[in-house]
Amino acid sequence: MAIIAHVDHGKTSLVDKLMYQSGLYRSEELDRRAGGQHGLVLDTGDLERERGITILSKNCAVTYEAADGDTYRINLIDTPGHADFGGEVERVLTMADGALLVVDAFEGPMPQTRFVLQKALACGLRPLVVINKVDRPDSRPDEVVTEVFDLLSDLGADDEALDFQTVYASAKEGWAANSLDDERVDMRPLFEAMVEWVPPPRFADPTANTQLLVTSIDYSDYVGRIAIGRIFGGKLEARQRVAVIDRQGNVSNQQILQLLAFEGLERKEVKKVEAGDLCAVVGLDPINIGDTIADAGKPEALPTVTVDEPTLHMTFRVNDGPLSGRDGKYLTSRQIGDRLERELRSNVALRVEPGETMEQYRVSGRGLMHLGILIENMRREGFELCVGKPHVVVREIDGQKQEPIELLVVDVPDEHQSSVMSLLGDRRAELLKMGYKTGNSGFVHMEFSIPARAMIGLRSRLLTATQGNAVIHHTLHGYETLRGAVPHRTAGVLIANEPGPVTAYSLDALYDRGSFFVKPGDEVYEGQVVGENCKSGDLVVNVVRGKKLTNVRAAGKDDNSQVRPVREMSLEACLEYIDDDELVEVTPKTIRLRKIMLKESDRRRASRQAGS
């Protein structure tokens, strides 16, 4: 079963409770595996635990003993809830027989629920609906069930999918029930619903020719590449000779060294796996996602995993700034290229192409968070690089240029409704729906269609306009003809004109010029963006000037120096902020903003040439 849900609707916590109540692990063992963070046992990466989101799809297996004594093996696939990681969803849904649709009892179906559910229906999966968090005081489970039905109807679901079964649950408290009036004890009603609702493995014929579709790739320093997938026909045995068919149809004969089956969160070595099982295969190389492991005597390929095209691209380039090489271990274009090549092996939604020069790469992905996670992982591995402004990927269909359109959902207090409407109206957004949610008095629920390029930098402006009270979600809606120009950054930036450490004396002198991204003691260089100008147009400033020492002292003068609080900028915020002539310099310890041309004379010359 694939577990699909919007971000923070509780699907990972639900899987934790299912594993705990199946008897596989004690609660203390789950906490230990989650790094001391209860409820995050499947979020294995540091970024997943820090941000509280699922980035990579993962699977585990639990065993359930029914009341009649029959024992069932249930494979659970945890999928990301964010649309930027849709490539993870598309490649693993082919392994599932059913979908566990988890919906928040207050928020209801959200844009990214729609995205993942649409992919599940396209794979022929019937949803089993779990209304989670019904113990919330503001929950509205009956209205949410109606909204789920409406969503399925909008997505063109058949009568079988529309006649879905509903289970009410609280993953936090560890119980599920078939109705709101039933006794709330444990997760057994959900286990029973899965056994009853989900059909047995599709296309699983043990007598057919062997066919396994590779949907994930793992790596071990000891055994190399590990192919993970599901057997759709036949069986596999350790030391068996098989044929590996790649996406281009090329066939290579190889031998399996080891077979691993999933048991809980662990992999256990087995001698044989049969049709319907999920397994990991060791010893095959080369092998990639989308390849088919088939019978060596009669190789037949399965349909490859289809993945939607990227919607956003940006330039990755070598860090050529004056402070390069101080923090990172991997600096050259060859090292960056090798790292991107490794990422392509497992990240099916990513595209990498050569850039304008030998030191640049054009990297395309599903969204700003998709590419931002890649950059964050690289900097934590010791890479230094510079990245340019993100741009949307424009397609040409039937001779017309078309751009990606996002579905944007905003929940905002009444008093800020006009501010949101004005801000989004300037960005070519179209209002699709507006109203109030039951139990959410005072908040307006609005849905817009908006160009993806208008979403860049929008979140911070919306939060500013609503004093931080807006709840914002978005997902890809489709492609439409270009809607026209959208507003760019109105304020200019403050640019350092000398290298050295920042001084409080110089920031005090520039107090009324704008806000700063640096604080006293930070090392800066010529051409670095150190702040935002309070007016339009860029301003070159000196932030390293020190106070001249004299024999004259004025009582109390030094006590009156004023330094604005530093404006902290995350990696995603920097990527949203920069303009076409700027870069984000990323190192393991620091994130800086800079101009592409560091010297002021070069920038002026380029500006004159562009004007002429």
Side-chain angles (χ1 to χ4, degrees), residues 19-70:
M19 286 193 293
Y20 169 62
Q21 295 193 14
S22 69
L24 277 173
Y25 301 106
R26 298 190 305 273
S27 180
E28 297 80 5
E29 175 69 5
L30 286 175
D31 287 349
R32 185 186 65 79
R33 290 176 177 273
Q37 301 185 52
H38 185 65
L40 292 174
V41 68
L42 279 184
D43 288 343
T44 54
D46 292 339
L47 284 176
E48 291 181 320
R49 291 173 180 167
E50 290 171 14
R51 302 191 181 206
I53 60 174
T54 302
I55 297 173
L56 299 175
S57 295
K58 291 168 280 295
N59 57 283
C60 63
V62 299
T63 302
Y64 168 66
E65 185 174 344
D68 57 6
D70 290 339

Side-chain angles (χ1 to χ4, degrees), residues 387-389 489 574-580 582-584 593:
V387 293
K389 179 180 174 63
R489 188 180 71 198
C574 290
L575 294 175
E576 289 183 342
Y577 183 81
I578 59 174
D579 216 334
D580 290 324
E582 295 164 359
L583 296 171
V584 179
L593 301 178

Side-chain angles (χ1 to χ4, degrees), residues 140-421:
R140 48 187 193 94
D142 294 334
E143 292 88 346
V144 169
V145 172
T146 304
E147 292 174 6
V148 172
F149 181 88
D150 294 340
L151 174 59
L152 286 167
S153 180
D154 291 343
L155 295 176
D158 56 21
D159 293 340
E160 194 176 52
L162 290 173
D163 188 24
F164 56 83
Q165 184 171 346
T166 305
V167 177
Y168 302 91
S170 170
K172 181 180 179 181
E173 300 295 331
W175 59 263
N178 292 316
S179 73
L180 293 172
D181 299 327
D182 287 355
E183 189 178 6
R184 303 175 177 183
V185 181
D186 55 21
M187 304 299 293
R188 183 172 290 272
L190 180 55
F191 277 116
E192 294 173 351
M194 286 192 286
V195 170
E196 177 186 349
W197 183 253
V198 181
R202 299 177 295 167
F203 320 118
D205 184 2
T207 63
N209 293 324
T210 301
Q211 285 183 311
L212 180 146
L213 182 64
V214 179
T215 54
S216 185
I217 293 289
D218 200 357
Y219 185 82
S220 168
D221 291 334
Y222 301 100
V223 296
R225 296 170 73 78
I226 302 173
I228 301 172
R230 179 179 180 179
I231 303 179
F232 285 88
K235 60 184 179 180
L236 285 177
E237 298 179 358
R239 299 291 175 178
Q240 179 181 342
R241 298 290 301 182
V242 293
V244 178
I245 310 171
D246 63 16
R247 287 174 173 268
Q248 289 72 38
N250 302 317
V251 181
S252 61
N253 288 319
Q254 303 183 43
Q255 184 178 17
I256 297 174
L257 297 182
Q258 194 177 23
L259 282 176
L260 304 173
F262 293 96
E263 184 173 318
L265 298 169
E266 306 292 342
R267 296 173 187 170
K268 183 179 67 174
E269 185 175 359
V270 294
K271 297 296 182 182
K272 181 177 68 173
V273 287
E274 295 183 345
D277 287 339
L278 274 65
C279 66
V281 183
V282 178
L284 305 181
D285 195 4
I287 193 164
N288 292 289
I289 293 173
D291 292 357
T292 299
I293 301 174
D295 195 307
K298 192 177 180 181
E300 296 179 5
L302 288 165
T304 59
V305 180
T306 58
V307 177
D308 290 344
E309 292 299 314
T311 60
L312 203 70
H313 72 86
M314 62 176 64
T315 299
F316 286 34
R317 54 177 284 178
V318 171
N319 179 18
D320 57 357
L323 303 182
S324 64
R326 293 193 179 185
D327 299 339
K329 298 185 294 183
Y330 309 110
L331 316 173
T332 65
S333 61
R334 181 186 61 80
Q335 291 170 328
I336 295 173
D338 290 345
R339 175 62 179 83
L340 293 174
E341 186 66 30
R342 292 199 307 272
E343 186 71 20
L344 285 173
R345 296 172 185 172
S346 58
N347 198 335
V348 295
L350 196 72
R351 302 288 185 274
V352 178
E353 302 170 356
E356 296 178 357
T357 67
M358 294 293 291
E359 296 182 344
Q360 296 182 2
Y361 297 93
R362 187 177 188 265
V363 182
S364 306
R366 284 290 186 84
L368 201 60
M369 182 176 285
H370 183 205
L371 296 175
I373 291 294
L374 170 60
I375 298 169
E376 181 66 29
N377 282 327
M378 291 179 66
R379 72 183 286 251
R380 293 188 181 199
E381 294 168 11
F383 282 86
E384 284 193 17
L385 69 156
C386 288
V387 293
K389 179 180 174 63
H391 296 275
V392 299
V393 178
V394 178
R395 296 180 179 179
E396 187 166 335
I397 303 175
D398 297 330
Q400 286 189 334
K401 289 185 176 181
Q402 295 193 352
E403 64 176 340
I405 302 295
E406 301 268 346
L407 175 64
L408 173 66
V409 174
V410 182
D411 290 328
V412 68
D414 272 339
E415 60 267 24
H416 299 300
Q417 176 186 343
S418 58
S419 300
V420 172
M421 297 283 284

